Amino acid sequence: MPAAPPRVFVCPGDGANWAIDEDRRHLATSLAGTVELVGSVTEAEVVHAPWWEPLMALPASAVAGKTVVCHMVAEPARCLGVPGFADALARVDRWIAGSRGGLAQLRALAPGAALVPYAVDTTCFAPEPAPQAAPTPHADAAREALARLHPGAYVVANFHRDSEGASIATGNPAPKLVKGPDVLVEVLAALREHGAPVVALLAGPRRHWVRGELERRGVPCLWAGPPPSESDDYPEAILPRHELAALYRLADLHLCTSRSEGGPHSVLEAAACGTPQLSTPVGLAPDVLSPECLVSDPASAIGLILEDIARGWLRRFAPVHRAAVLANHTVDHNRPRWRRVYAELRAGATTVAPRPGPGRTMPATATSLPPVTRQPGSAGPHVCLWNNFTPPPWGGGNQFMLALRGELLRQGCRVSMNGDYDPDEPPAGHILNSVQFPADAFERARERDRAGGHAPRILHRLDGPISLIRRTPESLELDARCQALNHRLASATVVQSWHTLAALKEIGFEPVRPVLIPNAPDPEIFGPGPAGGARAAAPPGPGRAISGPLRVIATSWSPGPGKGAAVYAWMDRHLDPERYQLTFVGNCPVAFTRWRSVPPQASAPLAALLREHDVYLTASRDDPCSNALLEALACGLPALYFDGGGHPELVRFGGLPFRHAHEIPALLDRLAARLPFYRSLIAVEPISRIARRYLDALLG
């Protein structure tokens, strides 16, 4: 007799009738016939969530003893930096990725993750409207305006939210940089400068920032939707799916410029409609789009679009993209996948670590403590920082801990260092820097706190692995010591990059409750100077956006073998001093004949030196989250960086990668040709936000 189907409660979406709710509808349709859907969590054997935040809104008692399945709807590396995600990792039994890239990242966090691709309604999103399709007044109005105002225009569609919701109420919308609205604006503005007849086609909520920027840059814009509002229009401005489909069919190109995505649904929708596309290689885009239609360097999109305007070359890929959707991204294709997932669950095939529940507890160091809240009218929380504090110039970790101290003080926190506090007024939490702190003093302070009945939380900040950076026998011992400290002391762990977490796991190190928070420099020291810096206003040379030699600077406190000395020596021998002016600041084990060599500098003079240059270059190989690189980016310098370690996560679109020294001259010329373009796409998370994220991770 066949077993009864499992009783499954599907968690709600976000109620906005947008991406999460669409995923939930597709999920419920796909599960029909495989499971018994129930209306309350109390009736269920399985709790299935299309997104982890609604899941975490359920009380722990409601899911105790049940199997929990959850979709990862954003890039896992980005979720690892969101407060509360560590608790979701502990609650979920089986994670579901919607793309191959997402699956690879998820398996580093949850080995039992499975792939069930995102689905799209191919009857709604199709090259032609359905025979009985509903009216499309907004799309019709956009079509009429296009014919009347912009005959012969090349229409570029983008329907992503571009503004941070909280900023709209202030009257000064801020860009939601993860969606790349700044990239979209820069590409379209560059196309107009080339004389291309591009017109932006926008729809959807929270388009405030990009509408204002396109107007400021002189890029024509077609708006499809209700009259634009100065207030927050989410979710009111969300258009019905059939209206979006009509807009995709109106466009000559769909352009996705995101820095990070779980989806995006727009890539599937445009592909299903047969609309030509270009996209950054985020989320599911590499699963659907041809390699020729993926742009890692947004500047390359300019040439590709100009070629498409002239010859229509992108149209040939549209049928291929639609075929990929029809073959892999429909509700019907997902039905057998869900049967397989649920069969594995029933067979007990999950391989993730047990989550807390009846009879199961997390290790004592990883349990959640009651949140520490600020009392009305009181100062901020008391935080104790532990580090071998040294006046600069010194290493990047020391630089960051100094910057963090300064920002915590600016945010009203009380900050003590290395246990220098009154035992009767212990801190709410401690932040330990790797192994670079006085451990014996910390142990004494910890015992003193315990004797007084206090148990402050402990956040352990990790870089490395140290052995990967230093490559010495002693560094292996430091990694072992770091791991022992983490497992014995930490309530939670800060890793500085996805590279750090992956590299730690490769050596068998599983940090306690990891959260991803990058470094950030002190904004009172490291920031951009006047526009154009000290460069003379002479006409630029052919193919260059600047005049005179390109001023390139590299910095390194450490002379270690992984810091790129061999690359700098190659540049010293091979680069033409008439075209490139080279400066090295810090310690390097090789002598230069053409480079200007400057000894290590304190922070303020180093920042002044950075602002005198055009491009920052780093050849270090395994830096987890280079403070030197962040300082240069914060000073407005696009980066040419070795494609390894945490560098790609920090630079994103604000520079170019290299793997071999001989690539450097051509890449420097590419940067010189569009220096303002790359400078405008630098996105360094400010220390104010980094400090708040540290407090969230430390205090809950």
Side-chain angles (χ1 to χ4, degrees), residues 342-412:
Y342 272 85
E344 291 171 355
L345 289 173
R346 187 172 284 276
T350 66
T351 57
V352 295
R355 60 182 174 83
R360 295 181 290 181
T361 59
M362 295 293 286
T365 56
T367 54
S368 295
L369 298 175
V372 177
T373 56
R374 186 179 304 185
Q375 297 300 315
S378 70
H382 176 190
V383 179
C384 187
L385 304 182
W386 293 82
N387 177 55
N388 295 329
F389 287 101
T390 307
W394 203 253
N398 180 70
Q399 289 285 95
F400 172 73
M401 292 297 286
L402 289 170
L404 180 62
R405 175 181 180 271
E407 182 57 34
L408 290 173
L409 289 170
R410 283 190 289 271
Q411 294 192 18

Side-chain angles (χ1 to χ4, degrees), residues 632-655:
L633 291 168
C635 287
L637 274 66
L640 182 60
Y641 61 93
F642 179 78
D643 191 9
H647 294 342
E649 300 173 52
L650 302 180
V651 179
R652 298 285 184 173
F653 301 145

Side-chain angles (χ1 to χ4, degrees), residues 449-471:
D449 291 342
R450 284 179 166 180
H454 305 291
R457 304 187 199 195
I458 300 169
L459 186 62
H460 193 193
R461 175 184 179 270
L462 297 186
D463 55 11
I466 301 171
S467 55
L468 188 62
I469 300 171
R470 299 188 183 180
R471 303 175 186 271

Side-chain angles (χ1 to χ4, degrees), residues 483 487 502-511:
Q483 183 170 356
H487 285 173
L504 290 172
K505 287 177 174 285
E506 283 181 5
I507 64 171
F509 186 174
E510 295 286 343

Side-chain angles (χ1 to χ4, degrees), residues 407-452:
E407 182 57 34
L408 290 173
L409 289 170
R410 283 190 289 271
Q411 294 192 18
C413 297
R414 178 185 167 194
V415 181
S416 55
M417 299 192 298
N418 294 342
D420 185 17
Y421 56 84
D422 185 335
D424 294 329
E425 298 181 6
H430 299 277
I431 299 176
L432 315 181
N433 184 30
S434 185
V435 294
Q436 311 300 328
F437 68 96
D440 291 343
F442 174 75
E443 294 284 9
R444 291 192 295 271
R446 184 167 175 251
E447 289 304 315
R448 187 177 64 198
D449 291 342
R450 284 179 166 180

